[in-house]
Each structure stands twice: as C-alpha cells, then as structure tokens.
Amino acid sequence: MIFNDAAEFRASGFSPRVCIVGSGPAGISVALKLAAARVPCVILEAGADEWTEESQDTYRGEVVGDHYFDLDMTRLRYFGGSSNHWAGWCRVLDGHDFEPKPYVAHTGWPIGRGDIDPFLDETRDVLGLAPFLPDRAVSDDFRWFEMQKSQPVRFREKFAAPLAQSPLIALVLNTQVDELVGDGAAISAAKLRSRGAPAGELGAPFFVVATGGLENSRLLLWSNERSNGGVVPHAAALGRYWMEHPMFEVGTGFIEDADAMAFDHEGDAFFTPTVEAMAAREVLNFHVQIESMPYRGVKKFIADTACLVPETTEWVADALGLRLQCSARLHMAWEQPPREHNRVALSATERDAAGIPRIELHWKKDDLDRRTMLEGIRMFGAAFARRDLGRVRISDWVRDGGDWPEDMEIAGNHHMGGTRMGDDLSTSVVDGNCKVHGMANLYVAGSSIFATSGQCTPTTTITALALRLGDHLGRVATAGPVKA
Amino acid sequence: MRQLPDSRLKRRTFLAALLAIPALALLHRVIRPTASADIVEVDGWILKRSDVEGDQA
C-alpha cells in the first residue's frame, strides 16, 4: 500500500508492528523481510515520489574540516533515497574487514562476515547482481577483485509496484519524523510532520531508523536532546566515528601485461592488499583502480612512451601536434580510521523549515589517511613491477605531502559511522543486532552502523545487513519487545 | 591532429630515439632506496633495480 500523506494512512486503519523511517535501500530491505515473516510494517518517507527542491533543502548543512560535497547534493530525500543516484558498483566487505586491526584503535565489529553470508543470495536478488567472481592473487601482497558494476537498482522503480500491492507494507510519502519519543528504555512514538505541517504521533512496538548515513545521526541526536537522553541513553559515540572513502587519482603508469589485468568492460581493473601486507606496513584497507586508456598499437606505444619520459615527450608532442599521455591512470580509495572527532553534529545556529537543527559535519583526514595512500601505492607499484605487469609513477602531490586536491573525486559519497555497531557502550551506539544500546525497541539500519568502512562500496553490505536485521525483527516482532 | 610532411617516417625516428632515452634519463635522477633491495623509486617511478642498472644489478 502506498499513501500520499499521514492523513491518508491514518484513514486506512493500518496497524503496523514495526515503523521504519526512510525508504532507501536499507529501509525497503528491512520491510521486505518483515513482510516475508508476515509482520505488518509502515515505511515513513519524508520526501515525495520524485525529487523536489523543497524536500532536498532539508539536507543543507555545513562541513567543517576538509573539502567535501554539498550535503544537499550528496544524498537524496525522496522515495528510494540515495539509490536514485547510486552508481551500482558492488562488492561486500571482506571477512578481515570485520576483524580488529591491532595497530588502529576502534577497529573490529561484534559480528563477522559469516553473520551476513546467509543473506547474500537475497542481497543479489534485491540488487540484481550476478554471483561475484572469486578474488585472484596477483602477487604475495595483492589480489585482483571484481568490482561488480551492476545496472543500478533504483528502489523507487523496482519496488513501487510490489510495495503498492503488499497488504503488509504501508509506504507513507511526504511524511517525516521530526523526533522519536523515548524514556531511556523504549520508544513510545514518532512525532510526524506531513506535507509540511505537524501530523501527530505514531506509535508502534518497534522502530527502525533508516534515513541514511548522515540523517540517522541527526535524527537520533535531535530526538535525544529533546527527550533528555531518552532515545539513546548511551550517547557517547552518537554521531561520532563518521567515515568516508577518500578517493584520489594518485598516479599514472603503463601496462605490460594487459591479459593479467582482466580489465572489465569499462577498461578498469581493481586490486586490494592482503591482510598481511596491510599489517606489515600498518596501513588500512584500500583499493587501486587502474583505469586503462583505450589505445591500441602505435597510439598506445606513444602514450606509454609519454609516460616514461614526460619532459622529452612534451617537446615531441609539440613538434608532432600530439596530445600524449600515459596509458593508465591510477585511482585509490581507502578505509579511513574511525576517529571520534569526525562526527555529525547539530548546528547551533542553522535550522531547517521544520525548526530542526541542520547538520554540521566535522570531517578531516589525518596522518593515517596519508600513510595509507602513499605506502599503499608504493606497495602496489612494487608488486606491479616485480610481476612485470607494468610500471607505476606516483604523482608529485602524493609524494610531497601536498594539499589534498579539490578537483578530483575527493570521496565516494559513502556516509558511514555515527551510530556504529559494537559491544563497548562508550564507542558504539548499536549492538550486533543493530539495536540501540539500552533501548528495547529501537534499531538502526544503513551504513551509519558500520564500525569500520573497509575499502569497498557500501550498498551491497548495507543491503545484506538490512536483510539480516529484517530477519531478526521478523522473529522478535512476533514475540514482542525484548528487555533492553 | 596536425600532420607533418612524411610524418610516419619522422614519428618512427622520434619513437626510436625515445626508446633509448628512458634508462639514460632515469640515471640522472635521484634514486630513492626502498625497503626492498630489488625495488627503487626514481622521480616517483616504482621500478625494479634492474630497470635502471641493467641486468647485472
């Protein structure tokens, strides 16, 4: 069932067991599993069924620290959420990503890859993925891996009809949750605003916050402030340990053994280090993307030569009127260390149209980011040369410790942490079942629960974790709230 | 793309010369040692030592 506002929904008399806030990949995946378990649920979507400037304005905010995207551009606030501009690149966190790294504080999850493996078949169904190809060792230190570039699923397009026909899922558009009401043990209701006006409260036995990797923190921070700590009673880590995947072009190179690269249909090949290689250099996880230039024959030769002796070929290029470049570009994306000071905070001065404080995002890369980037590409270059796969040249700004460029990718639009998963109440917000510490009926879905980020795109893991949460809630919600 | 007279021949000549240049050019740069004896870093290039010193390295 799909309703256009809270009034339509109330008139239906539908009584949900679970209230899900947000209709992106996480929220819809939870709902699908609940429906499969015959548990009625409602999804509250703040936006409409299409992009509107008015809705998007709610996401405006300020970034303090490193250069980053405009916050109202980096995510989308309408049916389907940020899946509406998702690129479709897929990969699941590796098993070692869930394990602690002794040389970096606050790493490690309370669950392992084995806890989400049972949900990967369903994840592939939801995201329309083929089975992943196995990784392949290219050296002692590196593995080639498949970054599956899928046709990106727009959850609005794929699931509008199934949701409309479901008797167990009610999607309510144009209806936001201003705040959750809690007493430090359980959530009693969500205060609604529909079509811009207050719309009363909605009660349910269970609540799932699935509003995205920035808004999850914002909603819980604001709700907690309004209820004097009654929504997240252990809030030391709330909003904190926020992470991105920094992404930069770090070098160029030429390729000797193209067959060993196994380039995908867009001419890209991806490589990631082994756990042992990371530990030996005390860096975090990363991947190197080799973007090949579509040259063949003499053009490729010229491009490779330009790469070898840039000053000389600059002169030759002028003489011949050619534009010469290396035949491969190297991009890196890496795992950020979870730092307490990187955080989502509530603005002290700026509020949105509903009077709710806007986001103030504090984000700054540090020495371990730079070390992971530089030592990572050096390690890759050495492995590349030893195997005679080609040669790599590291860009000057990477070697010289120059300023972070602002004209490159910068980051992946991957918003992780803020409500991270863990056992330690001082450094985490949710437990291994995605339940907020100390609360009987409040859960969080989405990449905000990531304890660490790994190196890969998050949507596949988000979906798997959400299906796991839906499976868990499907059993719990039929039995009633558990003791906090 | 601008064409020079007899460009095919001239390009071959240039390219043949360019082929001989890399090792010579690199020898004039500062060679940064790395943690591995078989790998050196020259002007940002990650190379096998034999790339710059020949097979006797």
Side-chain angles (χ1 to χ4, degrees):
Chain A
M1 299 170 283
I2 297 180
F3 304 95
N4 286 309
D5 54 34
E8 274 188 19
F9 170 68
R10 289 189 197 285
S12 74
F14 184 82
S15 178
R17 291 281 295 161
V18 180
C19 174
I20 301 165
V21 190
S23 74
I28 288 179
S29 296
V30 171
L32 294 173
K33 290 297 284 183
L34 289 171
R38 310 294 302 166
V39 175
C41 62
V42 60
I43 304 173
L44 302 175
E45 169 51 54
D49 65 353
E50 61 184 6
W51 187 95
T52 68
E53 194 170 328
E54 182 184 11
S55 178
Q56 208 59 35
D57 179 78
T58 303
Y59 281 173
R60 277 198 297 116
E62 185 184 359
V63 178
V64 179
D66 286 347
H67 179 67
Y68 193 59
F69 310 114
D70 291 340
L71 297 185
D72 57 336
M73 300 293 283
T74 190
R75 58 229 158 97
L76 296 173
R77 190 175 185 263
Y78 66 101
F79 181 16
S82 293
S83 75
N84 288 299
H85 67 182
W86 178 44
W89 289 20
C90 289
R91 164 87 177 175
V92 189
L93 286 178
D94 284 309
H96 61 74
D97 287 321
F98 292 87
E99 302 298 324
K101 291 182 172 63
Y103 51 92
V104 183
H106 309 307
T107 51
W109 294 52
I111 63 172
R113 167 66 185 263
D115 291 295
I116 63 170
D117 278 344
F119 301 95
L120 294 184
D121 285 344
E122 285 174 273
T123 300
R124 282 194 289 269
D125 289 343
V126 170
L127 298 178
L129 306 180
F132 285 95
L133 299 174
D135 294 356
R136 179 166 48 80
V138 293
S139 75
D140 290 343
D141 290 340
F142 279 89
R143 294 171 296 143
W144 173 95
F145 73 93
E146 181 196 25
M147 181 75 82
Q148 191 169 142
K149 294 175 176 173
S150 68
Q151 184 66 36
V153 169
R154 309 299 181 211
F155 277 63
R156 168 178 166 270
E157 294 169 11
K158 179 166 182 174
F159 294 104
L163 293 184
Q165 291 158 11
S166 173
L168 291 164
I169 303 174
L171 170 65
V172 188
L173 300 172
N174 303 299
T175 302
Q176 75 178 63
V177 171
D178 278 359
E179 63 183 85
L180 297 167
V181 181
D183 61 3
I187 299 297
S188 57
K191 290 188 177 179
L192 306 186
R193 178 177 299 268
S194 194
R195 295 192 186 279
E201 295 187 352
L202 174 67
F206 296 92
F207 291 84
V208 178
V209 175
T211 59
L214 288 163
E215 288 297 314
N216 278 356
S217 290
R218 182 192 187 200
L219 174 58
L220 292 176
L221 282 164
W222 178 238
S223 299
N224 214 35
E225 186 174 315
R226 297 278 288 172
S227 65
N228 297 314
V231 171
V232 182
H234 305 284
L238 182 56
R240 297 183 179 275
Y241 305 99
W242 192 84
M243 298 162 286
E244 247 281 8
H245 287 128
M247 291 183 178
F248 291 93
E249 185 179 330
V250 296
T252 53
F254 65 89
I255 297 156
E256 290 184 61
D257 187 351
D259 291 340
M261 295 289 100
F263 289 114
D264 64 22
H265 65 284
E266 291 181 327
D268 292 327
F270 295 85
F271 301 87
T272 189
T274 63
V275 182
E276 294 77 15
M278 284 186 265
R281 291 157 184 81
E282 298 198 343
V283 297
L284 286 169
N285 205 355
F286 63 90
H287 75 241
V288 176
Q289 173 191 355
I290 297 185
E291 179 193 8
S292 62
M293 299 291 109
Y295 296 137
R296 297 285 182 275
V298 171
K299 280 190 174 177
K300 179 179 184 306
F301 176 75
I302 292 171
D304 284 345
T305 309
C307 188
L308 272 168
V309 277
E311 296 88 348
T312 309
T313 46
E314 189 178 338
W315 174 78
V316 175
D318 283 345
L320 297 181
L322 296 172
R323 195 168 64 84
L324 303 177
Q325 57 184 319
C326 289
S327 64
R329 285 199 289 247
L330 274 68
H331 306 260
M332 270 184 83
W334 63 88
E335 174 180 29
Q336 281 204 284
R339 303 294 197 209
E340 186 180 13
H341 58 262
N342 283 332
R343 64 193 177 102
V344 177
L346 299 177
S347 171
T349 55
E350 299 296 318
R351 298 192 175 226
D352 66 16
I356 298 170
R358 293 189 183 276
I359 284 178
E360 190 174 88
L361 177 66
H362 296 251
W363 183 60
K364 195 158 184 61
K365 298 180 285 297
D366 64 21
D367 290 347
L368 186 49
D369 286 291
R370 206 171 273 279
R371 177 179 170 78
T372 296
M373 174 180 69
L374 179 55
E375 294 308 314
I377 194 62
R378 278 181 170 149
M379 178 169 43
F380 179 75
F384 207 57
R386 282 197 187 97
R387 286 290 312 277
D388 279 325
L389 298 173
R391 298 294 186 273
V392 166
R393 184 178 188 275
I394 304 173
S395 299
D396 293 342
W397 74 269
V398 175
R399 289 184 294 131
D400 300 343
D403 292 341
W404 296 102
E406 296 186 0
D407 58 350
M408 294 185 184
E409 297 100 318
I410 297 172
N413 291 289
H414 304 156
H415 316 127
M416 300 165 287
T419 69
R420 67 199 302 258
M421 183 187 284
D423 294 325
D424 184 340
L425 303 186
S426 67
T427 59
S428 64
V429 173
V430 302
D431 64 17
N433 286 321
C434 308
K435 187 169 71 65
V436 172
H437 294 309
M439 297 296 282
N441 65 346
L442 177 58
Y443 294 79
V444 182
S447 51
S448 68
I449 66 171
F450 282 23
T452 55
S453 69
Q455 56 83 11
C456 67
T457 53
T459 302
T460 321
T461 307
I462 290 171
T463 305
L465 285 164
L467 292 169
R468 176 176 175 269
L469 170 57
D471 179 73
H472 172 75
L473 262 179
R475 285 178 274 113
V476 171
T478 52
V482 295
K483 189 172 181 293
Chain B
M1 182 184 299
R2 186 159 56 88
Q3 295 289 314
L4 294 176
D6 298 326
S7 61
R8 188 174 296 273
L9 180 63
K10 286 181 182 297
R11 283 180 196 171
R12 280 208 197 98
T13 307
F14 275 122
L15 293 173
L18 283 174
L19 259 182
I21 285 173
L24 291 172
L26 291 172
L27 283 174
H28 295 292
R29 308 288 174 85
V30 176
I31 298 177
R32 177 187 175 277
T34 69
S36 305
D38 61 330
I39 297 292
V40 294
E41 189 172 321
V42 184
D43 210 19
W45 282 100
I46 309 296
L47 303 171
K48 293 202 290 191
R49 185 169 291 278
S50 60
D51 290 336
V52 291
E53 294 180 356
D55 291 338
Q56 72 276 18

